[in-house]
Amino acid sequence: MNKITTISIGLLLSATAAFAQSETPKPSQTTPAVNTEQNPAAPVAGKNSFTEDQAKARIEEAGYKEVTGLKLDSQGVWRATAKKDGKDAGVSLDFQGNVTMAK
């Protein structure tokens, strides 16, 4: 082989190897920002990032209507009064997105 062909092949192999190394593996599992399954220990205390509007919307999505008195307590749990199945109920939303009825 001549010198130019050898250099060309070497450069091609170097570029291919560099490209292969720059690919990042795709994660095999994604972690949602908000848990979609109910935590049996809910409501869970913790730093809550839901805004008041988001908290109200999440509670309504869980089937509650007429959400009133929504307040974030010292444990990081949104608490309110709402109606479900025509009855008044205490309801809460924790930082994990769990909506629970007061017992």
Side-chain angles (χ1 to χ4, degrees), residues 5-63:
T5 305
T6 305
I7 292 172
S8 297
I9 291 173
L11 289 173
L12 181 63
L13 290 174
S14 295
T16 303
F19 178 74
Q21 291 176 359
S22 67
E23 291 181 29
T24 56
K26 295 183 180 178
S28 60
Q29 180 181 23
T30 58
T31 304
V34 176
N35 190 4
T36 57
E37 296 179 22
Q38 184 74 22
N39 183 336
V44 180
K47 185 168 172 54
N48 199 313
S49 62
F50 287 102
T51 64
E52 185 174 356
D53 289 340
Q54 291 170 330
K56 183 177 180 186
R58 183 102 174 162
I59 291 168
E60 289 171 342
E61 288 169 9

Side-chain angles (χ1 to χ4, degrees), residues 52 56 59 66-73 77-82 90-91:
E52 185 174 356
K56 183 177 180 186
I59 291 168
E66 299 179 34
V67 178
T68 59
L70 189 58
K71 300 273 187 227
L72 186 61
D73 72 13
V77 177
W78 285 100
R79 300 196 185 269
T81 302
V91 65

